[in-house]
Amino acid sequence: MDTRVLDMKQVVPNDSWLYDYLSYLSPTIDAPEPFGIACGFSCLSMSCRNLQIQYGQNQIRPNLWIGIVAPSTRYRKSTSIGVARRTMESAEPGIIFPDTYSPEAFVDHLANERPYGCFVWGEMKSVLSAFEKSYMRGHLEDLTYLSDCPDTWNRKTKTSGLIRVERPFVSIIASSTQEWLNQCLTEGDLKGGFLPRFLWVIVNEKSKFFAWPEEPNLDIQIQLEDRLLRMVKIFDGDMTIVKNSKDLFCDYVTQLDKNSISQLEFEGILSAFYSRLGIYTLKFAMLYQADIQATRDPNNKERMITVEAMQYAISWSEYLKQNISDLLGNTAFNELMANRIRVLKLIQAKPGIARSETLKYSRLSKRDFDEAIATLIESEQILNQVEQTQGRPKTSYYPGKS
């Protein structure tokens, strides 16, 4: 059961490019709405690449690394990403990085063609597998460094020597399955520098189905592309933040920091994700502000994050925070965690399931099963109910509040 709740009114302003993009998508693709929001933000990110806000010693620019996750092709992951890719490419030809390349070709592209672009990875598994090849050695570290949008990037290549890239801006939109994440992610991956930089949009249920989706409205499509291109020209330079917005942001990231150290099971892992989520909240506030302002008052020269934009950003980040919990809750770092996840999924799929039935379908030994059950009860992830019968007491399990 998918317990994440997304109130569209709290994350999508009515008068915005994002709202119009989702309205354009709605009759043409039966993908979950969070996928459309994530892909729409990828488009906005590239159009607002020249914006920046001072944050301590650092200048934050609104690049995004997003992974959308769902069980199968029925969820239209590739289609959702494909629409965003075409939208960005039509607005600005050449803005999408090539599908195949070498690290040296990538450096040359940034230095000699344009220092910005978006990777579109239809399947994260195959891309990361390619990074393990000898000729791609070191590329993962390069991307990790570039995720923070440094002022300059100096890279030594075999063919061209030292190359200097000014103001690189790299975004990523990718898709994956939960099964691959469960199988391949290790504790080291989640504590490391690369994967915690991604925002995860995870969907396990789908309510919409189209037997025959409508054709896209080409006039609206062109208008959306034109509006993205206008944003590139409008938003260039520094953005600031009003005091009330800053207070909201500070309260939120302070709470994130407290949350990251309160769950001992994921000690050292949540902090990697939540610290990034705090920065992403600021990036989303920048994008919400730019989108709302470009729609309502494009001639306004002020570049200030308002309370409204920050509230939208925090609401969207709260949804993403739930996705982080889901990602970690389905990732096993040891045998006990794997057993616990197996048992929890059975109980979530059939609330009220009897102990005997749970033990049978878990295929665990009684000792391992009891250990998993005890951990789940103690952490309040499940509840047990004992019913007195004429014979032996009957124990049933229900999903808990965690």
Side-chain angles (χ1 to χ4, degrees), residues 43-54 59-63 92 95 114-117 149 151 166-171 228-239 286-287 290 303:
C43 298
L44 289 171
S45 167
M46 293 309 304
S47 291
C48 296
R49 60 183 177 266
N50 295 321
L51 275 178
Q52 59 197 29
I53 189 169
Q54 195 69 34
Q59 284 189 334
I60 304 300
R61 296 169 68 197
N63 66 319
E92 294 186 85
I95 200 172
R114 61 184 74 197
Y116 56 85
C149 296
D151 290 335
E166 300 287 346
R167 290 178 62 79
F169 185 97
V170 176
S171 281
L228 284 178
L229 190 56
R230 285 202 300 271
M231 283 190 210
V232 178
K233 300 173 182 177
I234 293 173
F235 297 106
D236 185 354
D238 293 329
M239 181 171 271
M286 295 170 70
L287 296 177
R303 302 288 180 262

Short mmCIF file of all heavy atoms in Angstrom, two decimals, residues 43-54 59-63 92 95 114-117 149 151 166-171 228-239 286-287 290 303:
data_model
loop_
_atom_site.label_atom_id
_atom_site.label_comp_id
_atom_site.label_asym_id
_atom_site.label_seq_id
_atom_site.Cartn_x
_atom_site.Cartn_y
_atom_site.Cartn_z
N CYS A 43 12.46 20.60 -16.34
CA CYS A 43 12.40 21.61 -17.39
C CYS A 43 12.64 23.01 -16.82
O CYS A 43 13.42 23.80 -17.37
CB CYS A 43 11.04 21.57 -18.08
SG CYS A 43 10.65 20.02 -18.93
N LEU A 44 11.97 23.33 -15.72
CA LEU A 44 12.15 24.64 -15.10
C LEU A 44 13.58 24.86 -14.63
O LEU A 44 14.12 25.96 -14.73
CB LEU A 44 11.19 24.78 -13.91
CG LEU A 44 9.71 24.93 -14.24
CD1 LEU A 44 8.86 24.82 -12.98
CD2 LEU A 44 9.44 26.26 -14.94
N SER A 45 14.20 23.80 -14.13
CA SER A 45 15.58 23.89 -13.66
C SER A 45 16.51 24.38 -14.77
O SER A 45 17.34 25.27 -14.56
CB SER A 45 16.03 22.53 -13.14
OG SER A 45 17.43 22.49 -12.95
N MET A 46 16.36 23.80 -15.93
CA MET A 46 17.25 24.19 -17.04
C MET A 46 16.97 25.62 -17.50
O MET A 46 17.89 26.34 -17.89
CB MET A 46 17.08 23.22 -18.21
CG MET A 46 17.58 21.80 -17.92
SD MET A 46 19.26 21.73 -17.24
CE MET A 46 20.20 22.60 -18.48
N SER A 47 15.72 26.05 -17.43
CA SER A 47 15.40 27.42 -17.86
C SER A 47 15.83 28.46 -16.85
O SER A 47 15.97 29.64 -17.19
CB SER A 47 13.89 27.54 -18.10
OG SER A 47 13.51 26.80 -19.24
N CYS A 48 16.05 28.04 -15.61
CA CYS A 48 16.47 28.98 -14.55
C CYS A 48 17.93 28.75 -14.16
O CYS A 48 18.35 29.12 -13.05
CB CYS A 48 15.57 28.83 -13.33
SG CYS A 48 13.84 29.27 -13.63
N ARG A 49 18.71 28.18 -15.04
CA ARG A 49 20.10 27.80 -14.73
C ARG A 49 21.00 28.99 -14.40
O ARG A 49 22.04 28.83 -13.77
CB ARG A 49 20.69 27.02 -15.90
CG ARG A 49 20.72 27.79 -17.21
CD ARG A 49 21.25 26.97 -18.36
NE ARG A 49 21.20 27.68 -19.63
CZ ARG A 49 20.20 27.60 -20.49
NH1 ARG A 49 19.15 26.85 -20.21
NH2 ARG A 49 20.22 28.28 -21.63
N ASN A 50 20.61 30.18 -14.82
CA ASN A 50 21.45 31.35 -14.59
C ASN A 50 21.11 32.09 -13.30
O ASN A 50 21.71 33.11 -12.99
CB ASN A 50 21.36 32.31 -15.78
CG ASN A 50 21.93 31.71 -17.05
OD1 ASN A 50 22.95 31.02 -17.01
ND2 ASN A 50 21.27 31.93 -18.17
N LEU A 51 20.14 31.56 -12.57
CA LEU A 51 19.80 32.14 -11.26
C LEU A 51 20.74 31.60 -10.19
O LEU A 51 21.24 30.48 -10.29
CB LEU A 51 18.36 31.77 -10.88
CG LEU A 51 17.23 32.64 -11.40
CD1 LEU A 51 15.89 32.08 -10.94
CD2 LEU A 51 17.38 34.09 -10.95
N GLN A 52 20.95 32.38 -9.15
CA GLN A 52 21.77 31.95 -8.03
C GLN A 52 21.35 32.70 -6.78
O GLN A 52 20.80 33.80 -6.85
CB GLN A 52 23.25 32.21 -8.31
CG GLN A 52 23.56 33.68 -8.56
CD GLN A 52 24.91 33.91 -9.22
OE1 GLN A 52 25.40 33.05 -9.95
NE2 GLN A 52 25.52 35.04 -8.93
N ILE A 53 21.59 32.08 -5.64
CA ILE A 53 21.31 32.73 -4.36
C ILE A 53 22.47 32.46 -3.42
O ILE A 53 23.02 31.35 -3.40
CB ILE A 53 19.97 32.25 -3.76
CG1 ILE A 53 19.58 33.09 -2.53
CG2 ILE A 53 20.01 30.76 -3.40
CD1 ILE A 53 18.15 32.86 -2.06
N GLN A 54 22.88 33.48 -2.67
CA GLN A 54 24.00 33.32 -1.75
C GLN A 54 23.54 32.58 -0.50
O GLN A 54 22.54 32.95 0.12
CB GLN A 54 24.58 34.68 -1.37
CG GLN A 54 25.94 34.62 -0.73
CD GLN A 54 27.04 34.17 -1.70
OE1 GLN A 54 26.99 34.49 -2.89
NE2 GLN A 54 28.01 33.42 -1.19
N GLN A 59 27.25 29.78 -3.46
CA GLN A 59 26.17 30.26 -4.32
C GLN A 59 25.40 29.04 -4.81
O GLN A 59 25.97 28.13 -5.41
CB GLN A 59 26.73 31.04 -5.51
CG GLN A 59 27.18 32.44 -5.15
CD GLN A 59 27.52 33.27 -6.38
OE1 GLN A 59 27.87 32.74 -7.43
NE2 GLN A 59 27.42 34.58 -6.25
N ILE A 60 24.10 29.01 -4.50
CA ILE A 60 23.26 27.88 -4.87
C ILE A 60 22.58 28.17 -6.21
O ILE A 60 21.96 29.22 -6.38
CB ILE A 60 22.18 27.61 -3.79
CG1 ILE A 60 22.84 27.40 -2.42
CG2 ILE A 60 21.32 26.42 -4.19
CD1 ILE A 60 23.79 26.23 -2.35
N ARG A 61 22.73 27.24 -7.14
CA ARG A 61 22.03 27.32 -8.42
C ARG A 61 21.07 26.14 -8.51
O ARG A 61 21.34 25.07 -7.94
CB ARG A 61 23.03 27.32 -9.57
CG ARG A 61 23.94 28.55 -9.55
CD ARG A 61 25.10 28.40 -10.53
NE ARG A 61 24.65 28.41 -11.91
CZ ARG A 61 25.40 27.97 -12.94
NH1 ARG A 61 26.61 27.47 -12.71
NH2 ARG A 61 24.95 28.02 -14.16
N PRO A 62 19.95 26.29 -9.23
CA PRO A 62 18.85 25.31 -9.10
C PRO A 62 18.92 24.09 -10.01
O PRO A 62 17.92 23.69 -10.62
CB PRO A 62 17.62 26.16 -9.42
CG PRO A 62 18.12 27.15 -10.42
CD PRO A 62 19.53 27.48 -9.99
N ASN A 63 20.09 23.45 -10.10
CA ASN A 63 20.13 22.18 -10.83
C ASN A 63 19.50 21.09 -9.98
O ASN A 63 19.51 21.13 -8.76
CB ASN A 63 21.56 21.81 -11.22
CG ASN A 63 22.43 21.52 -10.01
OD1 ASN A 63 22.36 22.21 -9.00
ND2 ASN A 63 23.26 20.50 -10.12
N GLU A 92 15.17 24.50 -26.45
CA GLU A 92 16.59 24.84 -26.65
C GLU A 92 17.33 23.64 -27.23
O GLU A 92 17.82 22.79 -26.49
CB GLU A 92 17.24 25.24 -25.33
CG GLU A 92 16.72 26.52 -24.72
CD GLU A 92 17.53 26.91 -23.50
OE1 GLU A 92 18.58 27.57 -23.67
OE2 GLU A 92 17.13 26.55 -22.38
N ILE A 95 20.29 21.07 -25.62
CA ILE A 95 20.39 21.21 -24.16
C ILE A 95 20.48 19.85 -23.46
O ILE A 95 20.91 19.76 -22.32
CB ILE A 95 19.19 22.01 -23.62
CG1 ILE A 95 19.53 22.59 -22.24
CG2 ILE A 95 17.94 21.17 -23.56
CD1 ILE A 95 18.49 23.56 -21.73
N ARG A 114 28.69 24.09 -24.69
CA ARG A 114 27.92 24.82 -23.68
C ARG A 114 28.21 24.18 -22.33
O ARG A 114 28.32 22.95 -22.23
CB ARG A 114 26.43 24.80 -23.99
CG ARG A 114 25.80 23.43 -24.04
CD ARG A 114 24.34 23.52 -24.45
NE ARG A 114 24.18 23.81 -25.85
CZ ARG A 114 23.05 24.25 -26.40
NH1 ARG A 114 22.01 24.49 -25.64
NH2 ARG A 114 22.97 24.48 -27.69
N PRO A 115 28.33 24.99 -21.26
CA PRO A 115 28.70 24.44 -19.95
C PRO A 115 27.51 23.92 -19.15
O PRO A 115 27.61 23.72 -17.95
CB PRO A 115 29.33 25.64 -19.25
CG PRO A 115 28.60 26.80 -19.81
CD PRO A 115 28.29 26.47 -21.25
N TYR A 116 26.40 23.71 -19.81
CA TYR A 116 25.19 23.28 -19.12
C TYR A 116 24.46 22.24 -19.95
O TYR A 116 24.65 22.13 -21.17
CB TYR A 116 24.27 24.46 -18.84
CG TYR A 116 23.88 25.24 -20.08
CD1 TYR A 116 22.79 24.85 -20.87
CD2 TYR A 116 24.60 26.37 -20.48
CE1 TYR A 116 22.46 25.56 -22.02
CE2 TYR A 116 24.27 27.08 -21.61
CZ TYR A 116 23.20 26.67 -22.38
OH TYR A 116 22.87 27.36 -23.52
N GLY A 117 23.62 21.48 -19.28
CA GLY A 117 22.83 20.48 -19.97
C GLY A 117 22.15 19.55 -18.99
O GLY A 117 22.39 19.61 -17.78
N CYS A 149 27.55 22.63 -8.79
CA CYS A 149 27.69 23.79 -9.68
C CYS A 149 28.85 24.70 -9.26
O CYS A 149 28.64 25.88 -8.90
CB CYS A 149 26.40 24.60 -9.73
SG CYS A 149 25.00 23.73 -10.44
N ASP A 151 32.06 27.26 -9.45
CA ASP A 151 32.31 28.40 -10.34
C ASP A 151 33.14 27.98 -11.55
O ASP A 151 32.89 28.43 -12.68
CB ASP A 151 33.03 29.52 -9.58
CG ASP A 151 32.14 30.19 -8.56
OD1 ASP A 151 30.90 30.14 -8.74
OD2 ASP A 151 32.66 30.74 -7.58
N GLU A 166 33.82 27.02 -17.22
CA GLU A 166 33.27 28.10 -16.40
C GLU A 166 31.79 27.86 -16.11
O GLU A 166 31.01 27.57 -17.02
CB GLU A 166 33.43 29.44 -17.14
CG GLU A 166 34.87 29.83 -17.45
CD GLU A 166 35.63 30.26 -16.21
OE1 GLU A 166 34.98 30.52 -15.17
OE2 GLU A 166 36.87 30.35 -16.28
N ARG A 167 31.41 27.95 -14.85
CA ARG A 167 30.03 27.86 -14.39
C ARG A 167 29.28 26.65 -14.97
O ARG A 167 28.24 26.79 -15.62
CB ARG A 167 29.27 29.15 -14.68
CG ARG A 167 29.72 30.31 -13.82
CD ARG A 167 28.99 31.60 -14.16
NE ARG A 167 27.55 31.51 -13.95
CZ ARG A 167 26.93 31.60 -12.77
NH1 ARG A 167 27.64 31.77 -11.67
NH2 ARG A 167 25.61 31.53 -12.69
N PRO A 168 29.77 25.44 -14.74
CA PRO A 168 29.05 24.26 -15.23
C PRO A 168 27.73 24.08 -14.49
O PRO A 168 27.61 24.43 -13.31
CB PRO A 168 30.02 23.12 -14.93
CG PRO A 168 30.85 23.61 -13.78
CD PRO A 168 31.01 25.10 -14.02
N PHE A 169 26.74 23.54 -15.20
CA PHE A 169 25.41 23.32 -14.64
C PHE A 169 24.88 22.01 -15.20
O PHE A 169 24.59 21.91 -16.40
CB PHE A 169 24.49 24.48 -15.01
CG PHE A 169 23.11 24.43 -14.39
CD1 PHE A 169 22.83 25.15 -13.24
CD2 PHE A 169 22.09 23.69 -14.97
CE1 PHE A 169 21.56 25.13 -12.68
CE2 PHE A 169 20.83 23.66 -14.43
CZ PHE A 169 20.55 24.39 -13.28
N VAL A 170 24.80 20.99 -14.36
CA VAL A 170 24.42 19.65 -14.82
C VAL A 170 23.20 19.18 -14.03
O VAL A 170 23.23 19.07 -12.80
CB VAL A 170 25.57 18.65 -14.63
CG1 VAL A 170 25.12 17.24 -15.02
CG2 VAL A 170 26.79 19.07 -15.45
N SER A 171 22.12 18.90 -14.74
CA SER A 171 20.93 18.30 -14.14
C SER A 171 20.78 16.87 -14.66
O SER A 171 21.32 16.52 -15.72
CB SER A 171 19.68 19.11 -14.48
OG SER A 171 19.56 20.26 -13.66
N LEU A 228 9.30 28.54 -21.54
CA LEU A 228 10.58 28.10 -20.97
C LEU A 228 11.74 28.94 -21.50
O LEU A 228 12.62 29.35 -20.75
CB LEU A 228 10.83 26.62 -21.29
CG LEU A 228 10.05 25.58 -20.50
CD1 LEU A 228 10.39 24.18 -20.99
CD2 LEU A 228 10.33 25.68 -19.00
N LEU A 229 11.72 29.19 -22.79
CA LEU A 229 12.79 29.97 -23.40
C LEU A 229 12.79 31.40 -22.89
O LEU A 229 13.86 32.00 -22.67
CB LEU A 229 12.64 29.95 -24.93
CG LEU A 229 13.81 30.51 -25.74
CD1 LEU A 229 15.11 29.80 -25.39
CD2 LEU A 229 13.53 30.38 -27.23
N ARG A 230 11.60 31.97 -22.66
CA ARG A 230 11.53 33.33 -22.11
C ARG A 230 12.10 33.38 -20.70
O ARG A 230 12.73 34.37 -20.32
CB ARG A 230 10.08 33.83 -22.13
CG ARG A 230 9.57 34.23 -23.50
CD ARG A 230 8.39 35.18 -23.42
NE ARG A 230 7.27 34.60 -22.69
CZ ARG A 230 6.31 33.88 -23.26
NH1 ARG A 230 6.36 33.63 -24.57
NH2 ARG A 230 5.31 33.41 -22.54
N MET A 231 11.90 32.34 -19.93
CA MET A 231 12.45 32.31 -18.57
C MET A 231 13.97 32.38 -18.58
O MET A 231 14.58 32.98 -17.69
CB MET A 231 11.98 31.05 -17.83
CG MET A 231 10.56 31.09 -17.35
SD MET A 231 10.19 29.68 -16.25
CE MET A 231 8.46 29.48 -16.57
N VAL A 232 14.58 31.74 -19.56
CA VAL A 232 16.05 31.80 -19.66
C VAL A 232 16.51 33.25 -19.78
O VAL A 232 17.49 33.67 -19.16
CB VAL A 232 16.55 30.99 -20.87
CG1 VAL A 232 18.07 31.09 -20.99
CG2 VAL A 232 16.14 29.53 -20.75
N LYS A 233 15.77 34.03 -20.55
CA LYS A 233 16.15 35.43 -20.79
C LYS A 233 15.79 36.33 -19.61
O LYS A 233 16.49 37.30 -19.33
CB LYS A 233 15.44 35.92 -22.06
CG LYS A 233 15.83 35.13 -23.31
CD LYS A 233 14.99 35.54 -24.52
CE LYS A 233 15.34 34.71 -25.74
NZ LYS A 233 14.49 35.05 -26.91
N ILE A 234 14.69 35.99 -18.90
CA ILE A 234 14.23 36.84 -17.80
C ILE A 234 15.09 36.65 -16.56
O ILE A 234 15.47 37.62 -15.90
CB ILE A 234 12.76 36.53 -17.46
CG1 ILE A 234 11.84 36.96 -18.61
CG2 ILE A 234 12.33 37.25 -16.18
CD1 ILE A 234 10.39 36.54 -18.40
N PHE A 235 15.41 35.40 -16.24
CA PHE A 235 16.05 35.10 -14.95
C PHE A 235 17.54 34.82 -15.12
O PHE A 235 17.94 33.72 -15.49
CB PHE A 235 15.34 33.93 -14.27
CG PHE A 235 13.91 34.23 -13.93
CD1 PHE A 235 12.88 33.67 -14.67
CD2 PHE A 235 13.59 35.11 -12.91
CE1 PHE A 235 11.56 33.96 -14.37
CE2 PHE A 235 12.27 35.42 -12.61
CZ PHE A 235 11.26 34.85 -13.34
N ASP A 236 18.30 35.85 -14.85
CA ASP A 236 19.76 35.76 -14.99
C ASP A 236 20.38 36.64 -13.90
O ASP A 236 20.28 37.86 -13.95
CB ASP A 236 20.17 36.23 -16.38
CG ASP A 236 21.66 36.07 -16.63
OD1 ASP A 236 22.39 35.70 -15.68
OD2 ASP A 236 22.11 36.30 -17.76
N GLY A 237 20.99 35.99 -12.91
CA GLY A 237 21.64 36.76 -11.86
C GLY A 237 21.21 36.35 -10.47
O GLY A 237 20.76 35.22 -10.24
N ASP A 238 21.34 37.27 -9.53
CA ASP A 238 21.12 36.97 -8.12
C ASP A 238 19.65 36.99 -7.74
O ASP A 238 18.89 37.84 -8.18
CB ASP A 238 21.87 37.99 -7.24
CG ASP A 238 23.37 37.86 -7.37
OD1 ASP A 238 23.84 36.74 -7.61
OD2 ASP A 238 24.07 38.89 -7.25
N MET A 239 19.29 36.04 -6.87
CA MET A 239 17.98 36.04 -6.24
C MET A 239 18.21 36.17 -4.73
O MET A 239 19.19 35.66 -4.20
CB MET A 239 17.23 34.74 -6.57
CG MET A 239 15.83 34.66 -5.98
SD MET A 239 14.88 33.23 -6.59
CE MET A 239 14.10 33.95 -8.05
N MET A 286 13.40 28.71 -5.29
CA MET A 286 13.84 29.56 -6.39
C MET A 286 13.02 29.29 -7.65
O MET A 286 12.58 30.22 -8.35
CB MET A 286 15.33 29.30 -6.69
CG MET A 286 16.28 29.69 -5.56
SD MET A 286 17.97 29.11 -5.85
CE MET A 286 18.47 30.20 -7.22
N LEU A 287 12.77 28.01 -7.93
CA LEU A 287 12.04 27.65 -9.15
C LEU A 287 10.56 28.03 -9.04
O LEU A 287 9.97 28.52 -10.02
CB LEU A 287 12.18 26.15 -9.42
CG LEU A 287 13.61 25.67 -9.73
CD1 LEU A 287 13.65 24.16 -9.89
CD2 LEU A 287 14.15 26.35 -10.99
N ALA A 290 10.42 31.84 -9.53
CA ALA A 290 10.62 32.21 -10.93
C ALA A 290 9.39 31.87 -11.77
O ALA A 290 8.95 32.67 -12.61
CB ALA A 290 11.87 31.50 -11.48
N ARG A 303 13.87 39.97 -7.61
CA ARG A 303 14.16 38.54 -7.60
C ARG A 303 14.24 38.10 -6.15
O ARG A 303 15.32 37.88 -5.61
CB ARG A 303 15.46 38.25 -8.35
CG ARG A 303 15.50 38.71 -9.80
CD ARG A 303 14.61 37.82 -10.66
NE ARG A 303 14.63 38.24 -12.07
CZ ARG A 303 13.70 38.99 -12.62
NH1 ARG A 303 12.68 39.44 -11.87
NH2 ARG A 303 13.75 39.33 -13.88
#
